[in-house]
Each structure stands twice: as C-alpha cells, then as structure tokens.
Amino acid sequence: MEKRWGGLAAIVLLLLMALLPLWFHSARTRSVEAPSTALHPAPKSPPKTPAPSKRNSQNETLTLAELRHMNRRGTLPRLVYLPNADRGEIFRSLRRQGLPLWISDRFFLLPGRIKPGWVRLKRPISLREFFEKINDFPREKTRRVVMYSGDSLDDFVRNFSRQTRLNPRAIFDEYFRFSPYLEGGILAGFYRLPYRLSAGPAMAYLTGQSEKVFARLARKYLREYDPAGFKRYLIVASIVQRESWHPEEMPRIAAVIYNRLKRGMKLQMDATLNYGPYSHRIVTPERIRHDSSRFNTYRYKGLPPEPLGSVTRDALVAALHPAKSSDLYFVRNLSGTHDFAPDYATHLANISRIKAERARLERAKKAWNALRKRSAKPRHR
C-alpha cells in the first residue's frame, strides 16, 4: 500500500513539474505585452534623465540612457539580429541581445526555421507575436564593416563612429558591456551591419560573433572556453599579429614567444610597445628606454597585461597551436618575412648576413640610378 501511494505521489510531482514551465511561459508572455500608445511608455514617476541629443534622421542615433531604457526587463529591443544557426544558438543570441526570454520560450515560442537577418520593430509587440511573425518581418539592408587586424579598440571606435555617426562614448560603453576583454574582443574581419544602427545591437553582434569563434577554437585546442584563461592566448596572438602579416610563419613566432617564456627570458619585442595610443607608431630606442609600463618587454619579463589589438583567426590558431621548434630569436629579412635562430650566435650571424645583403642592395640601387642619369643626359655632336 505504501509503495502504491509513493508511486502516485511521484506521478503527481512529475505532472506538477511538467505544468510549471507552461504556467511560467503564459505569465511571461503576458508580462511583455506593451501598450499600443507608445513604444517605450514612461513610468508614473519617471527618473530624471539627460535631455536626448539631436538624432540624425538617417541613422536614428540613440543616447546611452535611451538604449538602457530599451533594454529594460519586459521590453523588446527595436533592432534584433537573427543568426543563421540552430535553435539553441538563436535562443542564446536573442538572450544576449536583451530579449526577455525564459527557457520555456525556446520550446513553446521559438519556431523550427527562422530566416536570418536583421529585424527592426516599428511598434510594440509581445514575444508571442514577435515569434509568430518572425519570418514575415522585412530584413534590414546591410553594409560591410571592417575590423582591421592589429587595430586597437580606439582605432576601431574612431573609424566605426565616423562610418555610422554614432557617439564614440556610447560605442565604448556598449563594447565593455558585452565583451570581457579590454582589447581584442572583436576578431579582425568583415561584418555585415544595418545602415540604421545603434551602439547596443552593433556591439552585441560584433562581440557575439567573435566570442563564437573564440569558444570554437578554445574547445578544439583547450577543451573548454574560459575568458579569464583565454586572454593569455589573445595576448600572444596580438603579439604574433604585430610581428608578422604572413600566416605561414605565425606558428614559429608563437613558438619563440613560448620558448622565451619557459626559459624566463624577456620577450624584448618592439611589437609589445604598440599598445593603446601607440598602436601604429614606430618604436624608437627612446621609447624603449623611457616607457615604464608593463607593455615594455625590454624592461619586464612575461607577457603584457592586455592584448595589443584585434587579431586574425590565423594569429589566434598560431597562439593556441604553436610550431614545435627550439627557436628563441627572429629577425626580419629583406623579403619581409623572418629568419629564425635557436641561439644568439646564429641570430647574430643572421643579422650580419641581412645587413650585408641590404648594403649590397643599396650599392646596386646607387649604381642603377647613376646609370639612368648618365643615359638621360643629351649627347652633343
């Protein structure tokens, strides 16, 4: 008898657990329904906020206060990106963008097939209506945006603000809201963004796309993705990116970095001084002597504290999977690539050879220029 009652109690408990998500789901769907009078209705006692800046009629730039108001609980953002992915990836992307979703919405609201692209909501709707009409909304026209390899966040924000006419401060704020990295949080490459844009959706998309690549590579080479530990590889990749533009030699440069770190040697690389405001400046002997930051690897051992800038996928793979070599030194040769050496004597020999080749090339250039000048002189009869 006791076993029978125990079995009935277990069945009732399972039924309650099955019905609980349905109850939460129905309550959640009703809670996000917005009034039809305004897209963002003001509360009864609205907080004091700074006056909104003048908007550009073409780009509809929003202030940071407006963006935060749009992302509040129970409100759908105006601009939503729908990735070309499976249901789970779409669900995670929508939650990242600020849609107030519950786990139950993934099963009861999210349709099986979704047309990818950017959707702009022109009126307040509920979650249920949004997902019912998700494939009926027109997709926004997009343009190409570039994150150049080696660029710092300052470089990107300056260029991105010039293209989109968005406030640089808003771009910075939204980047740091979504990315766990002070630098290097946006992978170098080409992206498609709508013409009419605001900082929040843009940074959610750019950092989200980059994080997907980071996580995929980390799971392949490290078995798991942890931003705190992954930053070390971003730092190495950013040094590799600064030192070379040739993907075929990036793994060897990464090997040099790891070999020097294992031996307790200073990296002594000019590239580490191309940080922040010095991202594209020539490193002079004076900078090396007087720069007291931790980015000066001529003065301090170990890696710099942060990545130097954006990296390509090739540089990141090189940092995660370096070449197997005993090289400790490298020097740029006349072809723009590098000559590697396992010891200092070989390194000095490489430097001497490259200097001799450069001197021969300069003599050949001078001889050729002198020959051209003589041949250009008019001959007198």
Side-chain angles (χ1 to χ4, degrees), residues 260-274:
R260 294 179 75 90
L261 291 174
K262 288 178 182 178
R263 295 198 177 197
M265 301 170 62
K266 296 177 181 178
L267 294 184
Q268 295 181 322
M269 294 182 179
D270 291 359
T272 60
L273 287 168
N274 289 133

Side-chain angles (χ1 to χ4, degrees), residues 78-85 90 94 110-122 125 129-143 192-196:
R78 287 181 178 176
L79 190 63
V80 180
Y81 172 68
L82 303 170
N84 186 12
I90 293 173
L94 293 178
L110 199 64
R113 293 184 179 180
I114 294 180
K115 179 183 176 182
W118 290 86
V119 171
R120 185 178 298 278
L121 302 180
K122 298 181 180 180
I125 60 176
E129 184 181 357
F130 172 72
F131 285 113
E132 286 176 352
K133 300 180 178 179
I134 197 167
N135 287 323
D136 299 329
F137 294 114
R139 270 38 178 179
E140 291 283 296
K141 292 183 178 180
T142 59
R143 60 177 169 180
R192 304 294 305 187
L193 290 172
Y195 284 87
R196 296 181 298 166

Side-chain angles (χ1 to χ4, degrees), residues 122-160:
K122 298 181 180 180
R123 64 179 181 85
I125 60 176
S126 67
L127 275 175
R128 181 181 294 278
E129 184 181 357
F130 172 72
F131 285 113
E132 286 176 352
K133 300 180 178 179
I134 197 167
N135 287 323
D136 299 329
F137 294 114
R139 270 38 178 179
E140 291 283 296
K141 292 183 178 180
T142 59
R143 60 177 169 180
R144 190 174 73 169
V145 175
V146 183
M147 180 62 172
Y148 293 101
S149 58
D151 270 7
S152 66
L153 183 61
D154 290 342
D155 298 327
F156 172 75
V157 170
R158 185 165 51 251
N159 294 330
F160 190 64

Side-chain angles (χ1 to χ4, degrees), residues 37 47 85 118 135 154 163 187 190 227 284 292:
T37 56
W118 290 86
N135 287 323
D154 290 342
Q163 293 180 56
L187 195 69
F190 300 103
T284 62
S292 59

Side-chain angles (χ1 to χ4, degrees), residues 42-50 69:
K44 294 181 180 179
S45 57
K48 295 182 179 180
T49 56
H69 185 62

